[in-house]
Coordinates of all heavy atoms in Angstrom, one line a residue:
K14 N 234.1 -90.9 129.6 CA 234.4 -92.1 130.5 C 233.1 -93.0 130.3 O 232.1 -92.6 130.5 CB 234.6 -91.7 131.9 CG 235.0 -92.9 132.7 CD 235.5 -92.3 134.2 CE 235.7 -93.6 135.0 NZ 236.2 -93.1 136.3
V15 N 233.3 -94.2 129.9 CA 232.4 -95.1 129.7 C 232.2 -96.1 130.9 O 231.2 -96.3 131.4 CB 232.7 -96.0 128.4 CG1 231.6 -97.1 128.2 CG2 232.8 -95.2 127.2
A16 N 233.4 -96.5 131.4 CA 233.4 -97.4 132.6 C 234.8 -97.3 133.3 O 235.6 -96.5 132.7 CB 233.1 -98.8 132.2
R17 N 235.0 -97.9 134.3 CA 236.4 -97.9 134.9 C 237.4 -98.3 133.9 O 237.5 -99.5 133.4 CB 236.4 -98.8 136.2 CG 237.7 -98.7 136.9 CD 237.6 -99.5 138.1 NE 238.9 -99.6 138.8 CZ 239.4 -100.6 139.4 NH1 238.7 -101.7 139.4 NH2 240.5 -100.6 139.8
G18 N 238.4 -97.4 133.7 CA 239.5 -97.7 132.7 C 239.0 -97.7 131.3 O 239.8 -98.0 130.4
R19 N 237.8 -97.3 130.9 CA 237.3 -97.3 129.5 C 236.9 -96.0 129.2 O 236.1 -95.4 130.0 CB 236.2 -98.3 129.3 CG 236.5 -99.7 129.6 CD 236.8 -100.7 128.5 NE 235.9 -100.6 127.4 CZ 236.4 -100.9 126.1 NH1 237.6 -101.3 126.0 NH2 235.7 -100.9 125.1
F20 N 237.3 -95.5 128.0 CA 237.0 -94.1 127.6 C 236.5 -94.1 126.2 O 236.8 -95.0 125.4 CB 238.2 -93.3 127.8 CG 238.8 -93.2 129.1 CD1 239.7 -94.2 129.5 CD2 238.3 -92.3 130.0 CE1 240.1 -94.1 130.8 CE2 238.8 -92.3 131.4 CZ 239.7 -93.1 131.7
R21 N 235.8 -93.1 125.8 CA 235.3 -92.8 124.4 C 235.7 -91.4 123.9 O 235.4 -90.5 124.6 CB 233.8 -93.1 124.4 CG 233.3 -92.9 123.0 CD 231.7 -93.2 123.0 NE 231.6 -94.6 123.1 CZ 230.5 -95.0 123.9 NH1 229.7 -94.3 124.4 NH2 230.5 -96.5 124.0
A22 N 236.4 -91.5 122.8 CA 236.7 -90.2 122.1 C 235.8 -90.0 120.9 O 235.6 -90.9 120.2 CB 238.1 -90.2 121.7
R23 N 235.2 -88.8 120.7 CA 234.3 -88.5 119.7 C 234.7 -87.2 119.1 O 234.9 -86.2 119.9 CB 232.8 -88.5 120.1 CG 232.3 -89.9 120.4 CD 231.9 -90.7 119.3 NE 231.6 -92.1 119.6 CZ 230.5 -92.6 119.6 NH1 229.3 -91.9 119.4 NH2 230.3 -93.9 119.9
V24 N 234.8 -87.0 117.8 CA 235.1 -85.7 117.2 C 234.1 -85.5 116.0 O 233.9 -86.4 115.2 CB 236.6 -85.7 116.6 CG1 236.8 -84.3 116.0 CG2 237.5 -86.1 117.7
L25 N 233.4 -84.4 116.0 CA 232.5 -84.0 114.8 C 233.3 -82.9 114.1 O 233.6 -81.9 114.6 CB 231.3 -83.5 115.4 CG 230.3 -83.0 114.4 CD1 229.8 -84.1 113.5 CD2 229.0 -82.4 115.1
A26 N 233.4 -83.3 112.8 CA 234.1 -82.4 111.9 C 233.4 -82.3 110.5 O 232.7 -83.3 110.3 CB 235.5 -82.7 111.8
A27 N 233.8 -81.5 109.6 CA 233.3 -81.4 108.3 C 233.8 -82.6 107.4 O 233.1 -83.1 106.6 CB 233.6 -80.1 107.6
R28 N 235.0 -83.0 107.7 CA 235.6 -84.2 107.1 C 235.9 -85.3 108.1 O 235.9 -85.1 109.2 CB 236.9 -83.8 106.4 CG 236.8 -82.8 105.4 CD 238.2 -82.3 104.9 NE 239.1 -83.3 104.6 CZ 240.3 -83.2 104.2 NH1 240.9 -82.0 104.1 NH2 241.1 -84.2 104.0
S29 N 236.0 -86.5 107.6 CA 236.3 -87.7 108.5 C 237.8 -87.5 109.0 O 238.6 -87.1 108.3 CB 236.2 -89.0 107.7 OG 236.8 -90.0 108.5
L30 N 237.9 -87.6 110.2 CA 239.3 -87.6 110.8 C 239.9 -89.0 111.1 O 240.6 -89.2 111.9 CB 239.2 -86.8 112.1 CG 238.9 -85.3 112.0 CD1 238.8 -84.6 113.3 CD2 239.8 -84.6 111.1
G31 N 239.3 -90.0 110.4 CA 239.7 -91.3 110.5 C 241.2 -91.5 110.2 O 241.6 -90.8 109.2
G32 N 241.9 -92.2 111.0 CA 243.4 -92.3 110.8 C 244.2 -91.2 111.5 O 245.5 -91.4 111.7
Q33 N 243.6 -90.2 112.0 CA 244.3 -89.2 112.8 C 244.3 -89.7 114.2 O 243.6 -90.4 114.7 CB 243.5 -87.8 112.7 CG 243.4 -87.2 111.3 CD 244.7 -87.1 110.7 OE1 245.6 -86.5 111.3 NE2 244.9 -87.5 109.5
T34 N 245.3 -89.0 115.0 CA 245.4 -89.4 116.4 C 245.0 -88.3 117.4 O 245.0 -87.2 117.1 CB 246.9 -89.7 116.8 OG1 247.6 -88.5 116.5 CG2 247.4 -90.8 115.9
V35 N 244.5 -88.8 118.5 CA 244.3 -88.0 119.6 C 245.2 -88.6 120.8 O 245.5 -89.7 120.7 CB 242.8 -88.0 120.2 CG1 241.9 -87.2 119.2 CG2 242.3 -89.3 120.5
V36 N 245.5 -87.7 121.7 CA 246.6 -88.1 122.8 C 245.8 -88.0 124.1 O 245.3 -87.0 124.5 CB 247.8 -87.3 122.7 CG1 248.8 -87.7 123.8 CG2 248.4 -87.2 121.4
L37 N 245.8 -89.2 124.8 CA 245.4 -89.2 126.2 C 246.5 -88.6 127.1 O 247.6 -89.1 127.1 CB 245.0 -90.6 126.6 CG 244.5 -90.7 128.1 CD1 243.2 -90.1 128.2 CD2 244.4 -92.2 128.5
Q38 N 246.2 -87.5 127.8 CA 247.1 -86.9 128.6 C 246.7 -86.9 130.1 O 245.5 -86.9 130.3 CB 247.3 -85.3 128.2 CG 247.8 -85.1 126.8 CD 248.0 -83.7 126.4 OE1 247.1 -82.8 126.8 NE2 249.0 -83.4 125.7
R39 N 247.7 -86.9 131.0 CA 247.4 -86.8 132.4 C 248.0 -85.6 133.0 O 249.1 -85.1 132.4 CB 247.9 -88.1 133.1 CG 249.4 -88.1 133.3 CD 249.8 -89.5 134.1 NE 251.2 -89.5 134.4 CZ 252.1 -89.7 133.5 NH1 251.9 -89.9 132.2 NH2 253.4 -89.6 133.9
F40 N 247.5 -85.1 134.1 CA 248.0 -83.8 134.7 C 248.9 -84.3 135.8 O 248.6 -84.9 136.7 CB 246.8 -83.0 135.2 CG 247.3 -81.6 135.6 CD1 247.6 -80.6 134.6 CD2 247.4 -81.2 136.9 CE1 248.0 -79.4 134.9 CE2 247.8 -79.9 137.2 CZ 248.1 -79.0 136.2
S41 N 250.2 -83.9 135.5 CA 251.2 -84.2 136.6 C 252.2 -83.2 136.7 O 252.8 -82.6 135.8 CB 251.9 -85.6 136.1 OG 253.0 -86.0 137.0
R42 N 252.5 -82.8 138.1 CA 253.4 -81.8 138.3 C 253.2 -80.5 137.6 O 254.0 -79.9 137.0 CB 254.9 -82.3 138.0 CG 255.4 -83.4 138.9 CD 256.7 -83.7 138.7 NE 257.0 -85.1 139.5 CZ 258.1 -85.6 139.4 NH1 259.1 -85.2 138.6 NH2 258.3 -86.7 140.2
N43 N 252.0 -80.1 137.6 CA 251.5 -78.8 137.1 C 251.6 -78.6 135.6 O 251.8 -77.6 135.0 CB 252.2 -77.6 137.8 CG 251.8 -77.4 139.1 OD1 250.6 -77.7 139.6 ND2 252.8 -77.2 140.0
R44 N 251.6 -79.8 134.8 CA 251.6 -79.8 133.4 C 250.9 -81.0 132.8 O 250.8 -82.0 133.5 CB 253.1 -79.6 132.8 CG 253.9 -80.8 133.0 CD 255.4 -80.5 132.7 NE 256.1 -81.7 132.6 CZ 256.5 -82.6 131.6 NH1 256.0 -82.1 130.4 NH2 257.1 -83.6 131.7
W45 N 250.5 -80.9 131.6 CA 249.9 -82.1 130.9 C 251.0 -82.9 130.2 O 251.9 -82.5 129.5 CB 248.9 -81.6 129.9 CG 247.7 -81.0 130.5 CD1 247.5 -79.6 130.6 CD2 246.6 -81.7 131.1 NE1 246.2 -79.5 131.3 CE2 245.7 -80.7 131.6 CE3 246.4 -83.0 131.3 CZ2 244.6 -81.0 132.2 CZ3 245.2 -83.4 132.0 CH2 244.3 -82.4 132.4
V46 N 251.0 -84.2 130.6 CA 252.0 -85.2 130.0 C 251.3 -86.1 129.0 O 250.3 -86.7 129.3 CB 252.6 -86.0 131.3 CG1 253.6 -86.9 130.8 CG2 253.2 -85.0 132.3
D47 N 251.9 -86.3 127.8 CA 251.4 -87.2 126.9 C 251.5 -88.6 127.4 O 252.5 -89.1 128.0 CB 252.1 -87.2 125.5 CG 251.9 -85.8 124.9 OD1 251.1 -85.0 125.2 OD2 252.5 -85.6 123.8
G48 N 250.3 -89.3 127.0 CA 250.3 -90.7 127.3 C 249.9 -91.5 126.1 O 250.7 -91.4 125.1
R49 N 249.0 -92.2 126.1 CA 248.6 -93.1 125.0 C 248.1 -92.4 123.8 O 247.3 -91.4 123.9 CB 247.5 -94.1 125.5 CG 247.1 -95.1 124.4 CD 246.3 -96.1 125.0 NE 245.8 -97.1 124.0 CZ 245.0 -97.9 124.1 NH1 244.3 -98.0 125.2 NH2 244.6 -98.7 123.0
R50 N 248.5 -92.8 122.6 CA 247.9 -92.3 121.3 C 246.8 -93.1 120.7 O 247.0 -94.4 120.8 CB 249.1 -92.1 120.3 CG 250.1 -91.2 120.7 CD 251.0 -90.9 119.6 NE 252.0 -89.9 120.0 CZ 251.9 -88.6 120.0 NH1 250.8 -88.1 119.6 NH2 252.9 -87.9 120.5
I51 N 245.7 -92.6 120.5 CA 244.5 -93.3 119.9 C 244.3 -92.8 118.5 O 244.1 -91.7 118.3 CB 243.4 -93.0 120.9 CG1 243.6 -93.5 122.3 CG2 242.1 -93.7 120.3 CD1 244.0 -92.4 123.3
F52 N 244.2 -93.9 117.6 CA 243.8 -93.6 116.2 C 242.3 -93.6 116.1 O 241.6 -94.6 116.4 CB 244.5 -94.7 115.3 CG 245.9 -94.5 115.2 CD1 246.9 -95.1 116.1 CD2 246.5 -93.7 114.2 CE1 248.2 -95.0 115.9 CE2 247.8 -93.4 114.1 CZ 248.7 -94.2 115.0
L53 N 241.8 -92.5 115.4 CA 240.4 -92.4 115.2 C 239.9 -93.2 114.1 O 240.7 -93.4 113.0 CB 240.0 -90.9 115.0 CG 240.4 -90.0 116.2 CD1 240.1 -88.5 115.8 CD2 239.6 -90.3 117.4
R54 N 238.6 -93.6 114.1 CA 238.0 -94.3 113.0 C 236.7 -93.4 112.6 O 236.2 -92.8 113.5 CB 237.5 -95.7 113.3 CG 238.6 -96.5 113.5 CD 238.1 -98.0 113.7 NE 237.6 -98.1 115.1 CZ 237.4 -99.3 115.7 NH1 237.6 -100.4 115.0 NH2 237.0 -99.4 116.9
R55 N 236.3 -93.6 111.4 CA 235.0 -92.9 110.9 C 233.9 -93.7 111.6 O 233.9 -94.9 111.5 CB 234.9 -92.9 109.5 CG 233.7 -92.2 109.0 CD 233.5 -92.2 107.5 NE 232.1 -91.8 107.2 CZ 231.8 -91.2 106.1 NH1 232.6 -90.9 105.3 NH2 230.5 -90.9 105.9
I56 N 233.0 -93.0 112.2 CA 231.9 -93.8 112.9 C 230.6 -93.5 112.1 O 229.9 -94.5 111.8 CB 231.7 -93.3 114.3 CG1 233.0 -93.7 115.1 CG2 230.4 -93.9 114.9 CD1 232.9 -93.1 116.6
A57 N 230.1 -92.3 111.9 CA 228.9 -92.0 111.2 C 228.9 -90.6 110.6 O 229.8 -89.9 110.8 CB 227.9 -92.1 112.2
K58 N 228.0 -90.5 109.8 CA 227.7 -89.2 109.2 C 226.5 -88.5 109.9 O 225.5 -89.2 110.1 CB 227.4 -89.3 107.6 CG 227.2 -88.0 107.0 CD 227.3 -88.1 105.5 CE 227.1 -86.9 104.7 NZ 228.1 -85.8 105.0
R59 N 226.6 -87.3 110.3 CA 225.6 -86.5 111.0 C 225.4 -85.2 110.4 O 226.2 -84.3 110.5 CB 226.0 -86.4 112.6 CG 224.9 -85.8 113.4 CD 225.2 -85.8 114.8 NE 225.3 -87.1 115.4 CZ 225.8 -87.5 116.5 NH1 226.5 -86.6 117.2 NH2 225.9 -88.7 116.9
G60 N 224.3 -85.1 109.7 CA 224.0 -83.8 109.1 C 225.0 -83.5 108.0 O 225.3 -84.4 107.2
S61 N 225.6 -82.4 108.1 CA 226.7 -82.1 107.1 C 228.1 -82.4 107.7 O 229.2 -82.1 107.0 CB 226.7 -80.5 106.8 OG 226.9 -79.9 107.9
G62 N 228.2 -83.0 108.8 CA 229.4 -83.4 109.5 C 229.6 -84.8 109.5 O 228.7 -85.7 109.2
V63 N 230.9 -85.3 109.9 CA 231.3 -86.6 110.1 C 231.7 -86.9 111.5 O 232.6 -86.1 112.0 CB 232.3 -87.1 109.0 CG1 232.7 -88.5 109.2 CG2 231.9 -86.8 107.6
V64 N 231.2 -88.0 112.0 CA 231.7 -88.3 113.5 C 232.8 -89.3 113.4 O 232.6 -90.3 112.7 CB 230.6 -88.9 114.3 CG1 231.0 -89.2 115.7 CG2 229.4 -87.9 114.3
S65 N 233.9 -89.0 114.0 CA 235.1 -89.9 114.1 C 235.2 -90.2 115.5 O 235.1 -89.4 116.3 CB 236.3 -89.3 113.4 OG 236.1 -89.0 112.1
G66 N 235.8 -91.4 115.8 CA 236.1 -91.6 117.3 C 236.6 -93.0 117.4 O 236.9 -93.8 116.6
R67 N 236.7 -93.3 118.8 CA 237.2 -94.7 119.2 C 236.9 -94.8 120.7 O 237.0 -93.9 121.5 CB 238.8 -94.6 119.0 CG 239.4 -95.9 119.1 CD 239.2 -96.7 117.8 NE 239.8 -98.0 117.9 CZ 240.9 -98.4 117.1 NH1 241.5 -97.4 116.4 NH2 241.3 -99.6 117.2
T68 N 236.5 -96.1 121.1 CA 236.5 -96.5 122.5 C 237.7 -97.2 122.7 O 238.2 -98.1 122.0 CB 235.2 -97.4 122.7 OG1 234.0 -96.5 122.3 CG2 235.1 -97.8 124.1
F69 N 238.4 -96.9 123.9 CA 239.6 -97.6 124.2 C 239.7 -97.7 125.7 O 239.1 -97.2 126.5 CB 240.8 -96.6 123.7 CG 240.8 -95.3 124.3 CD1 241.6 -95.0 125.4 CD2 240.0 -94.3 123.8 CE1 241.5 -93.7 126.0 CE2 240.0 -93.0 124.4 CZ 240.8 -92.7 125.5
S70 N 240.7 -98.6 126.1 CA 241.1 -98.9 127.5 C 242.4 -98.1 127.8 O 243.2 -97.9 127.0 CB 241.3 -100.3 127.7 OG 240.1 -101.0 127.4
A71 N 242.5 -97.7 129.1 CA 243.7 -97.1 129.7 C 243.9 -97.7 131.1 O 243.0 -97.7 131.9 CB 243.6 -95.7 129.6
R72 N 245.1 -98.0 131.4 CA 245.4 -98.5 132.8 C 245.9 -97.4 133.6 O 246.3 -96.4 133.2 CB 246.5 -99.6 132.6 CG 245.9 -100.9 131.9 CD 247.1 -101.9 131.9 NE 248.1 -101.4 131.0 CZ 249.2 -102.1 130.6 NH1 249.3 -103.2 131.0 NH2 250.0 -101.5 129.8
N73 N 245.8 -97.6 134.9 CA 246.3 -96.7 135.9 C 245.8 -95.3 135.8 O 246.5 -94.4 135.9 CB 247.8 -96.7 135.9 CG 248.5 -98.0 136.2 OD1 248.0 -98.7 137.0 ND2 249.6 -98.4 135.5
T74 N 244.4 -95.2 135.6 CA 243.8 -93.9 135.5 C 243.0 -93.5 136.7 O 242.5 -92.5 136.8 CB 242.9 -93.9 134.2 OG1 242.0 -94.9 134.4 CG2 243.7 -94.0 133.0
S75 N 242.8 -94.5 137.6 CA 242.0 -94.2 138.7 C 242.4 -93.0 139.5 O 243.5 -92.8 140.0 CB 241.9 -95.5 139.7 OG 241.0 -95.2 140.8
G76 N 241.5 -92.0 139.7 CA 241.7 -90.8 140.4 C 242.6 -89.7 139.8 O 242.8 -88.7 140.2
R77 N 243.1 -90.0 138.6 CA 244.0 -89.1 137.9 C 243.2 -88.1 137.0 O 242.1 -88.4 136.6 CB 245.0 -89.8 136.9 CG 245.9 -90.6 137.6 CD 246.9 -91.2 136.7 NE 247.8 -92.2 137.4 CZ 249.1 -92.0 137.4 NH1 249.7 -91.0 136.8 NH2 249.8 -92.9 138.1
R78 N 243.7 -86.9 136.9 CA 243.1 -85.9 136.0 C 243.5 -86.2 134.6 O 244.7 -86.1 134.2 CB 243.5 -84.5 136.4 CG 242.7 -84.1 137.8 CD 243.2 -82.8 138.2 NE 244.5 -82.8 138.8 CZ 245.1 -81.7 139.3 NH1 244.5 -80.6 139.4 NH2 246.3 -81.9 139.9
L79 N 242.5 -86.4 133.7 CA 242.8 -86.8 132.2 C 242.2 -85.7 131.3 O 241.2 -85.2 131.6 CB 242.5 -88.2 131.9 CG 242.8 -89.3 132.9 CD1 242.1 -90.6 132.7 CD2 244.4 -89.6 132.8
R80 N 242.7 -85.8 130.1 CA 242.1 -85.1 129.0 C 242.5 -85.7 127.7 O 243.5 -86.4 127.7 CB 242.3 -83.6 129.0 CG 243.7 -83.3 128.5 CD 243.9 -81.7 128.4 NE 245.2 -81.4 127.9 CZ 245.7 -80.2 127.7 NH1 244.8 -79.2 128.1 NH2 246.9 -80.0 127.1
L81 N 241.8 -85.5 126.6 CA 242.2 -85.9 125.3 C 242.6 -84.7 124.5 O 242.0 -83.6 124.6 CB 241.0 -86.6 124.6 CG 240.7 -88.0 125.0 CD1 239.4 -88.4 124.4 CD2 241.8 -88.9 124.7
F82 N 243.7 -84.8 123.8 CA 244.2 -83.7 123.1 C 244.4 -84.0 121.7 O 244.9 -85.0 121.2 CB 245.7 -83.3 123.7 CG 246.3 -82.2 122.9 CD1 245.9 -80.9 123.0 CD2 247.5 -82.5 122.1 CE1 246.5 -79.8 122.3 CE2 248.1 -81.4 121.4 CZ 247.6 -80.0 121.5
F83 N 243.8 -83.2 120.8 CA 243.9 -83.4 119.3 C 244.9 -82.4 118.7 O 244.6 -81.1 118.7 CB 242.5 -83.1 118.6 CG 242.6 -83.3 117.1 CD1 242.6 -84.5 116.6 CD2 242.4 -82.1 116.3 CE1 242.6 -84.6 115.2 CE2 242.3 -82.3 115.0 CZ 242.5 -83.5 114.4
P84 N 246.1 -82.8 118.4 CA 247.0 -81.8 117.9 C 246.8 -81.4 116.5 O 246.1 -82.0 115.7 CB 248.4 -82.7 117.9 CG 247.9 -84.1 117.8 CD 246.6 -84.2 118.4
R85 N 247.3 -80.2 116.1 CA 247.1 -79.7 114.7 C 248.0 -80.5 113.8 O 249.1 -80.7 114.1 CB 247.5 -78.2 114.7 CG 247.2 -77.6 113.3 CD 247.5 -76.2 113.4 NE 247.3 -75.5 112.1 CZ 247.1 -74.4 111.9 NH1 247.0 -73.6 112.8 NH2 247.0 -74.0 110.6
V86 N 247.4 -81.1 112.7 CA 248.2 -82.0 111.9 C 248.2 -81.4 110.4 O 247.4 -80.6 110.1 CB 247.6 -83.4 111.9 CG1 247.8 -84.0 113.2 CG2 246.2 -83.3 111.6
G87 N 249.2 -81.8 109.7 CA 249.4 -81.2 108.4 C 248.3 -81.3 107.4 O 247.9 -80.3 106.8
D88 N 247.6 -82.5 107.3 CA 246.5 -82.6 106.3 C 245.3 -81.8 106.7 O 244.5 -81.4 105.8 CB 246.1 -84.1 106.2 CG 247.1 -84.9 105.6 OD1 248.0 -84.4 105.0 OD2 247.1 -86.2 105.7
F89 N 245.1 -81.6 108.0 CA 244.0 -80.8 108.5 C 244.5 -79.5 109.1 O 244.0 -79.2 110.2 CB 243.2 -81.7 109.5 CG 242.7 -83.0 109.0 CD1 243.5 -84.1 109.0 CD2 241.5 -82.9 108.3 CE1 243.0 -85.3 108.4 CE2 241.0 -84.1 107.7 CZ 241.8 -85.3 107.7
G90 N 245.3 -78.8 108.4 CA 245.9 -77.6 108.9 C 244.8 -76.4 109.3 O 245.0 -75.5 110.0
C91 N 243.6 -76.7 108.6 CA 242.5 -75.7 108.9 C 241.9 -75.8 110.3 O 241.1 -75.0 110.8 CB 241.4 -75.7 107.9 SG 240.7 -77.2 107.6
Y92 N 242.2 -77.0 110.9 CA 241.6 -77.3 112.3 C 242.7 -76.9 113.2 O 243.8 -77.3 113.2 CB 241.2 -78.8 112.4 CG 240.1 -79.2 111.6 CD1 240.3 -80.0 110.5 CD2 238.8 -78.8 111.9 CE1 239.1 -80.4 109.7 CE2 237.7 -79.3 111.2 CZ 237.9 -80.0 110.0 OH 236.9 -80.4 109.3
A93 N 242.2 -76.2 114.3 CA 243.1 -75.8 115.4 C 243.3 -77.0 116.3 O 242.4 -77.8 116.4 CB 242.6 -74.6 116.1
A94 N 244.4 -77.0 117.0 CA 244.6 -77.9 118.1 C 243.5 -77.8 119.2 O 243.2 -76.6 119.4 CB 246.0 -77.8 118.7
A95 N 243.1 -78.8 119.7 CA 242.0 -78.7 120.8 C 242.2 -79.8 121.8 O 242.8 -80.8 121.6 CB 240.7 -78.9 120.0
A96 N 241.6 -79.4 123.0 CA 241.6 -80.4 124.1 C 240.2 -80.5 124.7 O 239.5 -79.6 124.7 CB 242.6 -79.9 125.1
S97 N 240.0 -81.7 125.2 CA 238.6 -81.9 125.8 C 238.6 -81.3 127.3 O 239.6 -80.9 127.8 CB 238.4 -83.4 126.0 OG 239.3 -84.0 126.9
A98 N 237.4 -81.3 127.8 CA 237.4 -81.0 129.2 C 238.2 -81.9 130.1 O 238.3 -83.1 129.6 CB 235.9 -80.8 129.6
R99 N 238.6 -81.6 131.2 CA 239.3 -82.5 132.1 C 238.3 -83.4 132.8 O 237.1 -83.1 133.1 CB 239.9 -81.6 133.3 CG 240.8 -82.4 134.2 CD 241.3 -81.6 135.3 NE 240.2 -81.5 136.3 CZ 240.2 -80.6 137.3 NH1 241.1 -79.8 137.5 NH2 239.2 -80.7 138.2
I100 N 238.7 -84.7 132.8 CA 237.9 -85.8 133.5 C 238.7 -86.4 134.5 O 240.0 -86.3 134.5 CB 237.3 -86.8 132.5 CG1 238.5 -87.4 131.8 CG2 236.4 -86.1 131.5 CD1 238.0 -88.7 130.9
T101 N 238.1 -87.1 135.5 CA 238.8 -87.8 136.5 C 238.7 -89.2 136.2 O 237.5 -89.8 136.1 CB 238.3 -87.6 137.9 OG1 238.4 -86.1 138.1 CG2 239.0 -88.3 138.9
G102 N 239.8 -90.0 136.0 CA 239.7 -91.4 135.7 C 239.3 -92.2 136.7 O 238.8 -92.9 137.2

């Protein structure tokens, strides 16, 4: 969380994940519900890895439990699906 309604997604991987999506999810009725999809961009090279990410806005997040989810995708089958820690919008 960068500011009210503004968030930053960052992923460090061996390859650039630019063009891949992460999903902003909210916790509702005892399950995670998909919301906005965010397309990542390559940001920088760090050591032997590449940082991909995006800063984005999301509405109606105040007080909600949120997380970012990176689904397993075809081109990057060697990466498992992953979710961020829970944050409060």
Side-chain angles (χ1 to χ4, degrees):
K14 185 172 178 180
V15 178
R17 182 176 173 219
R19 303 252 325 143
F20 302 90
R21 179 175 294 142
R23 295 275 169 107
V24 180
L25 177 63
R28 298 173 48 183
S29 172
L30 297 177
Q33 299 301 311
T34 59
V35 292
V36 181
L37 179 65
Q38 296 181 324
R39 73 180 190 284
F40 194 72
S41 177
R42 297 183 184 176
N43 295 321
R44 67 184 188 102
W45 290 102
V46 179
D47 288 356
R49 183 167 177 197
R50 295 190 181 277
I51 297 99
F52 288 90
L53 299 175
R54 291 187 279 196
R55 180 184 169 148
I56 296 175
K58 185 162 175 62
R59 183 175 295 164
S61 61
V63 179
V64 179
S65 303
R67 193 78 182 254
T68 300
F69 61 95
S70 298
R72 293 180 292 185
N73 300 325
T74 58
S75 182
R77 293 182 186 242
R78 290 180 283 183
L79 306 170
R80 74 176 183 181
L81 286 171
F82 179 70
F83 179 74
R85 185 175 176 156
V86 291
D88 293 346
F89 298 94
C91 59
Y92 291 109
S97 70
R99 188 185 80 193
I100 59 171
T101 302

